[in-house]
């Protein structure tokens, strides 16, 4: 296709002249042209090393007889964007990334692509683009950060946010807070727990779109550079064989990813991104499927924030392939799915043993018989809501308490900081959904403050916004319909009883039906004055239950 469009024939002489302007020889022009989508920038810690990864990919492509050409993709650091207007611009970049990559790839007629993402939204954004463009594509991430150490214990970004809550409650000193600040994030890479970035990089492996180790080899390990070179070689094999993303990201492959999601205890954000990726592949993946998968998939890993193990530990234990091999012992993996190795999932995971049963529980001895994520429904969320079940304390799996209602994150945070939230409360944060935020902000600041203040075993939080993968506790997000779309969460009043029953997958507003009907009859959702990209986004975005896709 590319040779016909931009290289071969007299009519393409103008195109060839522009390739010469790039310094490309005739020989380079007639080799497969591989676009390398680089998310490198100097503001996201997970992306600081991507220039090295890109250089290694270029070497791999050239070694295998291709011509590598780099073009950029944007990325937002969710940690730096957290807790202010910047977080409105995180999720929305997923679609900007997909759109711009589609435009660049198709405008310039590439034969294949290597995607080099790392952090939260540019991994799913590039997976969406790969499905749209549908030319041979392989992913290689920048890899996870090494865990920090404070007082001899490993730490991660969630520890840092919770330290702020502990400081506000007078539980730690100025000096201890500063120690956390300086030691929590010791290297470049995606933050070291099973947060959204690492969740999506691991699920890229499970989908078959990345080579072994894509999700787990630490950013600072030399093995990551070797992986990038092998990725460059791998895309050339895919070009030769004509294997494309939609040949790989089939319905069965997406079910594999969801199964691994449950076993790993991934971020709740995966419940936004997997449906959006599936949509681009022509597959429907709704929240009801998530509970079906959870019911039969054991939770094998408790990585931070759910437990005390980190991405480097998962890598040493055998990584994603070892988890999949454990799951396959009970026939939970579709082993005949094609992958970017040119082999099936079954062939890839064969012999990948679990090297540390303390990090990856054996299938016979899981943390729980059900998966790490649960979808709750009820009158408060008739279309669904999401909770990271594996990161909820046992005593909070069922909780009933009075609503403390806030129309934005900032108001809730101020109340928490002022000590106005008491044991037993259910904090409700609304007008933070895809439309209402807009942009569905993450609520890591308030959830971390609740945990840091010692209220994690007695206070729940629900929102039509979403959570960082670093969030832990009885935190229910993605409540759909959202308040801005006329959802029931918009009529919750101070003191209303809310019951959350995670084992039963329910969330209920315990108010008389006639009273609720009257409230809904008179309900007029609040509107915000918007401009620019957020105005367009709010007008087009769907609800959280369908992946916040743009219609």
């Amino acid at each position: 296709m590319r040779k016909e469009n931009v290289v071969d024939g007299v009519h393409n002489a103008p195109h060839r002249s522009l390739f010469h302007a790039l310094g490309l020889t005739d020989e380079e022009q007639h080799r497969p042209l591989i676009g390398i989508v680089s998310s490198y920038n100097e503001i996201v810690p997970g992306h600081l090393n991507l220039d090295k990864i890109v250089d290694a990919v270029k070497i791999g492509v050239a070694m295998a007889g291709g011509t590598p050409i780099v073009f950029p993709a944007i990325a937002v650091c969710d940690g730096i964007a957290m807790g202010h207007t910047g977080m409105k611009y995180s999720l929305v970049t997923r679609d900007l990334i997909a759109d711009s990559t589609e435009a660049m790839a198709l405008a310039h007629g590439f034969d294949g692509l290597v995607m080099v993402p790392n952090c939260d939204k540019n991994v799913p954004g590039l997976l969406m683009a790969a499905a749209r463009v549908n030319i041979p594509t392989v992913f290689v991430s920048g890899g996870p950060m090494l865990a920090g150490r404070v007082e001899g214990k490993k730490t991660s970004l969630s520890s840092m946010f919770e330290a702020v809550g502990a400081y506000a409650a007078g539980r730690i000193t100025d000096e201890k807070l500063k120690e956390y600040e300086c030691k929590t994030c010791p290297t470049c890479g995606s933050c070291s727990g099973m947060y959204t970035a690492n969740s999506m990089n691991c699920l890229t492996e499970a989908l078959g779109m990345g080579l072994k180790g894509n999700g787990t080899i630490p950013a600072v390990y030399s093995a990551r550079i070797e992986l990038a070179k092998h990725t460059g070689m791998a895309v050339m094999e895919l070009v030769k064989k004509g294997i494309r993303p939609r040949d790989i990201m089939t319905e069965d492959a997406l079910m594999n990813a969801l199964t691994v999601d449950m076993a790993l205890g991934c971020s709740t954000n995966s419940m936004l991104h997997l449906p959006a990726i599936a949509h681009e592949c022509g597959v429907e993946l709704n929240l009801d499927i998530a509970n079906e998968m959870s019911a039969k998939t054991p939770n094998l890993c408790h990585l931070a924030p759910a437990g005390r193990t980190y991405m480097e530990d998962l890598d040493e234990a055998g990584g994603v392939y070892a988890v999949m091999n454990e799951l396959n012992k009970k026939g939970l993996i579709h082993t005949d799915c094609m992958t970017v190795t040119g082999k099936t999932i079954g062939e890839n995971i064969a012999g990948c043993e679990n090297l540390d049963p303390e990090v990856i529980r054996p299938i016979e001895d899981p943390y729980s018989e059900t998966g790490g994520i649960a979808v709750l429904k009820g009158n408060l969320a008739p279309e669904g809501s999401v909770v990271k079940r594996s990161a909820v304390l046992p005593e909070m799996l069922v909780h009933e308490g009075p609503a403390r209602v806030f129309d934005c994150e900032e108001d809730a945070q101020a109340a928490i900081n002022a000590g106005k939230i008491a044991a037993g409360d259910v904090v409700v944060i609304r007008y933070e959904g895809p439309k209402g935020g807009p942009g569905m902000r993450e609520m890591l600041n308030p959830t971390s403050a609740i945990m840091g203040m010692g209220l994690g075993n007695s206070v729940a939080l629900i929102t039509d916004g979403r959570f960082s993968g670093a969030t832990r506790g009885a935190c229910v997000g993605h409540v759909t319909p959202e308040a801005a779309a006329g959802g029931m969460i918009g009529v919750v009043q101070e003191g209303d009883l809310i019951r959350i029953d995670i084992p039963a997958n329910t969330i209920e507003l315990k108010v008389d039906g006639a009273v609720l009907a009257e409230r809904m009859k008179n309900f007029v959702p609040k509107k915000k004055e918007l401009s620019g990209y957020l105005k367009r986004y709010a007008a087009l975005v769907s609800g959280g239950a369908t992946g916040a896709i743009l219609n």
Side-chain angles (χ1 to χ4, degrees):
M1 178 70 74
R2 181 187 69 84
K3 289 170 69 66
E4 294 172 3
N5 288 340
V6 297
V7 174
D8 290 348
V10 172
H11 65 289
N12 279 326
H15 302 75
R16 293 195 297 274
S17 73
L18 292 168
F19 282 122
H20 282 297
L22 293 171
L24 295 182
T25 65
D26 289 335
E27 292 83 359
E28 288 174 300
Q29 291 184 42
H30 285 86
R31 293 174 179 173
L33 191 67
I34 306 300
I36 302 174
V37 186
S38 171
S39 301
Y40 170 76
N41 63 47
E42 295 182 343
I43 189 62
V44 182
H47 293 216
L48 194 63
N49 65 324
L50 294 192
D51 56 339
K52 309 295 189 301
I53 302 298
V54 167
D55 287 345
V57 172
K58 291 172 70 176
I59 290 170
V61 169
M63 286 171 66
T67 299
I69 301 289
V70 180
F71 65 88
I74 63 169
V76 164
C77 176
D78 279 27
I80 295 174
M82 195 71 64
H84 59 93
T85 300
M87 183 46 70
K88 295 178 185 289
Y89 287 90
S90 174
L91 179 61
V92 305
T93 64
R94 186 186 70 182
D95 296 274
L96 282 176
I97 291 160
D99 292 348
S100 60
T101 302
E102 172 194 357
M104 287 293 290
L106 295 180
H108 300 104
F110 290 103
D111 294 295
L113 296 171
V114 175
M115 306 294 199
V116 188
N118 210 28
C119 288
D120 295 31
K121 308 310 171 296
N122 72 323
V123 181
L126 290 177
L127 283 165
M128 291 163 66
R132 284 188 206 170
V133 175
N134 203 35
I135 61 175
T137 302
V138 189
F139 278 66
V140 58
S141 77
M145 183 185 293
L146 293 179
R149 289 184 183 273
V150 176
E151 296 180 340
K153 296 179 181 178
K154 289 184 177 180
T155 62
S156 59
L157 188 63
S158 52
S159 312
M160 183 69 250
F161 275 90
E162 290 179 18
V164 173
Y167 178 79
R171 299 172 67 196
I172 63 172
T173 63
D174 290 332
E175 293 76 18
K176 183 57 65 177
L177 182 65
K178 185 65 176 179
E179 183 180 1
Y180 271 99
E181 180 183 328
C182 294
K183 293 182 177 179
T184 293
C185 298
T187 72
C188 65
S190 47
C191 297
S192 56
M194 187 52 78
Y195 309 150
T196 305
N198 292 326
S199 295
M200 294 310 302
N201 284 325
C202 287
L203 296 185
T204 298
E205 260 188 84
L207 277 169
M209 290 297 292
L211 301 181
K212 182 177 186 289
N214 176 72
T216 59
I217 297 172
V220 294
Y221 283 12
S222 297
R224 176 66 53 180
I225 300 297
E226 294 183 33
L227 179 69
K229 291 176 183 175
H230 285 129
T231 300
M233 299 176 202
V235 75
M236 293 301 296
E237 285 299 310
L238 294 190
V239 170
K240 291 175 186 175
K241 295 175 180 177
I243 299 174
R244 299 167 182 259
R246 283 184 230 158
D247 299 326
I248 295 170
M249 291 192 286
T250 62
E251 183 171 357
D252 282 350
L254 286 155
M255 292 303 104
N256 281 344
L258 189 52
T259 299
V260 172
D261 187 340
M262 297 298 171
L264 286 173
C266 289
S267 164
T268 51
N269 282 315
S270 62
M271 290 293 93
L272 282 176
H273 300 322
L274 286 176
I277 295 161
H279 176 75
E280 298 292 349
C281 297
V283 176
E284 181 182 356
L285 199 165
N286 60 41
L287 293 185
D288 294 327
I289 295 173
N291 272 349
E292 293 173 21
M293 299 300 290
S294 180
K296 63 182 181 181
T297 306
N299 177 228
L300 303 182
C301 299
H302 267 192
L303 292 106
R308 297 180 179 178
T309 54
Y310 295 81
M311 294 306 297
E312 62 206 66
D313 302 313
L314 179 59
D315 188 61
E316 291 173 10
V320 174
Y321 278 15
V323 173
M324 296 182 80
N325 203 27
E326 284 290 336
L327 294 168
N328 196 41
K329 292 175 182 177
K330 286 197 174 181
L332 297 174
I333 296 295
H334 297 281
T335 55
D336 57 351
C337 294
M338 180 51 60
T339 74
V340 293
T341 66
K343 299 178 181 178
T344 65
I345 281 286
E347 291 173 303
N348 286 346
I349 68 175
C352 293
E353 296 302 320
N354 179 2
L355 303 177
D356 189 341
E358 296 300 314
V359 177
I360 304 171
R361 284 282 186 90
I363 194 81
E364 302 83 10
D365 182 31
Y367 281 103
S368 66
E369 293 292 341
T370 53
I373 289 177
V375 173
L376 314 184
K377 288 190 173 182
N379 65 352
L380 197 51
E383 294 176 22
S385 60
V386 181
V387 61
K388 189 170 183 175
R389 185 206 317 247
S390 60
V392 179
L393 292 169
E395 59 266 37
M396 291 298 292
L397 288 171
V398 178
H399 180 77
E400 184 173 311
R404 303 299 311 281
V405 184
F406 305 94
D407 286 346
C408 66
E409 177 191 1
E410 288 84 355
D411 289 350
Q413 186 68 44
I416 296 167
N417 290 347
K420 295 180 179 179
I421 302 301
D425 286 348
V426 178
V427 176
V428 178
I429 306 178
R430 61 193 180 193
Y431 293 103
E432 292 286 7
K435 286 183 178 294
M440 206 177 186
R441 287 196 290 181
E442 291 183 344
M443 301 291 149
L444 182 56
N445 275 345
T447 60
S448 297
I450 288 169
M451 296 301 294
M453 290 179 164
L455 295 171
N457 62 351
S458 60
V459 170
L461 187 150
I462 70 170
T463 180
D464 51 11
R466 60 194 177 93
F467 300 116
S468 164
T471 287
R472 64 189 178 106
C475 302
V476 182
H478 307 196
V479 170
T480 311
E482 61 179 291
M488 184 75 73
I489 191 173
V491 301
V492 178
Q493 295 183 4
E494 191 81 6
D496 286 348
L497 282 182
I498 293 174
R499 180 174 177 82
I500 299 165
D501 189 334
I502 295 172
N505 301 117
T506 60
I507 182 168
E508 293 286 338
L509 180 59
K510 308 283 281 186
V511 175
D512 181 80
V515 173
L516 287 180
E518 186 66 19
R519 288 186 193 176
M520 290 298 288
K521 178 182 176 182
N522 297 316
F523 178 41
V524 179
K526 295 182 178 181
K527 301 289 184 183
K528 295 179 181 177
E529 290 296 323
L530 302 172
S531 62
Y533 180 52
L534 290 183
K535 183 176 183 178
R536 297 198 304 275
Y537 184 86
L540 297 173
V541 71
S542 73
T546 53
I549 59 175
L550 297 186
N551 295 313

